Amino acid sequence: MFDSRHIHTFREVLKAGSYSGAARVLGYTQPAITQQMKALERDVGTALFTRVGRQMRLTEAGEALARHADVILDTIATAQQQMDAITRLRAGRVRVCAFPSASATLIPEVMASLAVGHPGVRVELLEGEPPESLGRLARGECDITLAFTYPGLHEEVPDEVVEVRLFEDQLTILLPTGHPLARRRAVKLVDLAGERWIAGCLRCRANFLHECAEQGFAPDIAFTSDDNLVVQSLVAAGVGVAMMPSLVLSFLCHQKVAGRALDPASRRQVSAYVLREHLRVPATALVLDELRAAAERRVGC
């Protein structure tokens, strides 16, 4: 391993043609230059200079190092500039894995804020539903995972993963606008026990079945889809009713669908998950702060 300071001094010796000339340029004493060159020769394992009369000449090893000195120092300088840019948040990439409704709401707000305050920090967006998305975090495929959980569902996360709670997302009942219960402000789940249902992703479906069981009935699930637009379109067509998080309705609401509060209220917890060691990465910490700020601005969730 070479000390970059010694490589820099070596290059100045080559330019000046002597230890004394390099000492004047660098503001060192000549013995200091001599000591640095001896240290570099120890690192290399052989002599770099030989004297012919009063002149210094490079050995074969010295000529080889001379051919690479500029590249070595330029590479180090470039690396230092890039590290400085990342540390000062002038650059950086953060991979975020999020479920679809978070990708459509929180992520655009975060990216818009970054574009103004930290345009060099880029967010690479991946999509995934929990628990698969948490697995991607553990495997190092992303830096932050946005996921949700429901009451009574304990999220199993490794010790090295930190949960950052963002907000609670209220669940709503979706009805065709002509449905008799659409005139109410809130709807009891048991009042829809005889309806056909459209269910969502596996985790949402499991919670839905649990809540129905708590109300004493097993729902007739006619269709299932992870696509929120498909669910709303099916409800609008009168095929069935659905239970959906309010976050979805904040950016997507079919004109022939009525969203009504669930009575009693039920909510899911939306959180960000990150590896503990990544909390010290400036760009990752910045994106987490932006996610918190975007969550605080959520209305109706």
Side-chain angles (χ1 to χ4, degrees):
M1 298 295 292
F2 301 147
D3 187 321
S4 62
R5 295 169 301 175
H6 297 165
I7 300 293
H8 178 66
T9 301
F10 173 75
R11 185 170 66 174
E12 292 303 323
V13 170
L14 296 183
K15 290 179 181 178
S18 66
Y19 287 178
S20 58
R24 286 193 297 272
V25 172
L26 296 173
Y28 295 159
T29 63
Q30 182 172 331
I33 299 295
T34 301
Q35 290 301 317
Q36 286 196 42
M37 292 302 91
K38 286 182 177 179
L40 181 57
E41 288 179 334
R42 286 196 299 272
D43 291 339
V44 171
T46 188
L48 297 173
F49 297 99
T50 184
R51 285 193 174 277
V52 179
R54 292 187 176 182
Q55 292 186 336
M56 280 197 324
R57 290 185 180 177
L58 290 170
T59 64
E60 183 179 1
E63 290 176 351
L65 183 57
R67 289 194 295 270
H68 295 287
D70 286 342
V71 174
I72 292 171
L73 292 173
D74 289 347
T75 300
I76 291 173
T78 299
Q80 289 174 333
Q81 291 170 1
Q82 291 178 355
M83 294 305 102
D84 182 64
I86 291 171
T87 301
R88 296 177 182 274
L89 292 173
R90 293 197 299 268
R93 181 193 66 161
V94 181
R95 299 165 301 166
V96 179
C97 184
F99 54 96
S101 56
S103 296
T105 52
L106 296 179
I107 297 300
E109 292 184 38
V110 168
M111 295 179 76
S113 180
L114 290 174
V116 174
H118 300 277
V121 176
R122 303 300 177 92
V123 173
E124 181 179 311
L125 181 59
L126 311 170
E127 284 202 349
E129 299 275 4
E132 289 79 8
S133 56
L134 288 162
R136 300 189 73 172
L137 177 69
R139 292 191 298 270
E141 297 174 8
C142 61
D143 305 301
I144 297 173
T145 285
L146 289 179
F148 58 86
T149 188
Y150 288 98
L153 175 62
H154 177 65
E155 195 69 77
E156 294 289 343
V157 296
D159 291 339
E160 63 270 20
V161 173
V162 175
E163 178 186 4
V164 179
R165 294 194 162 211
L166 297 178
F167 64 95
E168 289 187 338
D169 188 13
Q170 183 170 310
L171 300 181
T172 60
I173 296 296
L174 300 191
L175 305 167
T177 51
H179 195 284
L181 296 183
R183 293 190 294 270
R184 298 183 183 180
R185 296 183 60 183
V187 178
K188 294 182 182 296
L189 195 59
V190 71
D191 290 341
L192 296 166
E195 298 281 349
R196 296 208 305 172
W197 290 84
I198 296 100
C201 71
L202 286 174
R203 178 163 289 196
C204 294
R205 195 182 318 157
N207 177 72
F208 169 61
L209 290 172
H210 172 74
E211 295 212 18
C212 290
E214 289 287 304
Q215 295 294 318
F217 73 95
D220 175 14
I221 297 178
F223 300 96
T224 62
S225 176
D226 294 345
D227 189 317
N228 295 314
L229 180 57
V230 170
V231 172
Q232 290 196 45
S233 295
L234 289 170
V235 172
V239 174
V241 298
M243 187 167 73
M244 183 172 285
S246 294
L247 189 61
V248 175
L249 301 182
S250 68
F251 72 94
L252 180 67
C253 191
H254 198 292
Q255 62 180 356
K256 293 184 179 180
V257 170
R260 296 295 178 260
L262 189 61
D263 180 24
S266 181
R267 297 176 175 84
R268 65 177 181 174
Q269 175 65 48
V270 177
S271 299
Y273 296 85
V274 61
L275 294 176
R276 193 178 306 277
E277 62 182 18
H278 286 182
L279 290 172
R280 297 184 288 114
V281 178
T284 300
L286 173 65
V287 172
L288 279 174
D289 287 341
E290 293 290 352
L291 283 168
R292 290 190 190 96
E296 289 176 359
R297 292 191 291 268
R298 299 311 306 166
V299 176
C301 294

